[in-house]
Amino acid sequence: MSHSSHGHPCRRPLCARASASPWRPARTPARTPVRGMSVGRCGAPLLAGHRTPGDVHRLAQQMAEVLVGRRAPEVLRNQVTVPVREELRRLRGTVGCAMAPRLARVFHQPLGASGVEASAVIDCDRRSRVFAFRLRREGGRWVCTRLETDRGH
């Protein structure tokens, strides 16, 4: 029996429903958050909306400016831990970008009650670069506690 002439061979209920309309996108927590639930079926937290909070996005932009060499890491001293500031000093100017960096995308995922993990894509000239960071809430502001980039150490 072929898929094209006799329909989908699987008789499982989930497959039968999916094969009824094969052109519909798959339901994922990122596309279709369950209303009234903060945890998915498998126990993993769902994304808290699609829009990254403005202050997280702003901090990502400022860190991108440090990575391309257009901002000093010391300016972020109240928003990053000492190890992250030292890492930013080491990485300052390592991302080659002839123009000011523009964040193409910033993704985030909550980490418990007071933390966020985020990643950002920087569009620089004809190339894209990426970095990831963790934040925790301290007295009404986000503080970056960890930074990783796509550059080898």
Side-chain angles (χ1 to χ4, degrees), residues 98-150:
M99 55 188 200
R102 185 178 70 82
L103 293 181
R105 292 177 295 280
V106 178
F107 301 99
H108 75 288
Q109 178 69 37
L111 292 175
S114 62
V116 169
E117 188 171 74
S119 61
V121 179
I122 308 170
D123 277 348
C124 283
D125 307 325
R126 294 182 178 173
R127 185 158 184 209
S128 293
R129 301 298 301 268
V130 67
F131 64 97
F133 53 101
R134 284 191 176 177
L135 305 166
R136 73 172 176 246
R137 205 58 141 147
E138 285 185 5
R141 70 179 198 278
W142 289 110
V143 175
C144 181
T145 60
R146 175 101 190 216
L147 171 68
E148 292 184 18
T149 67
D150 60 354

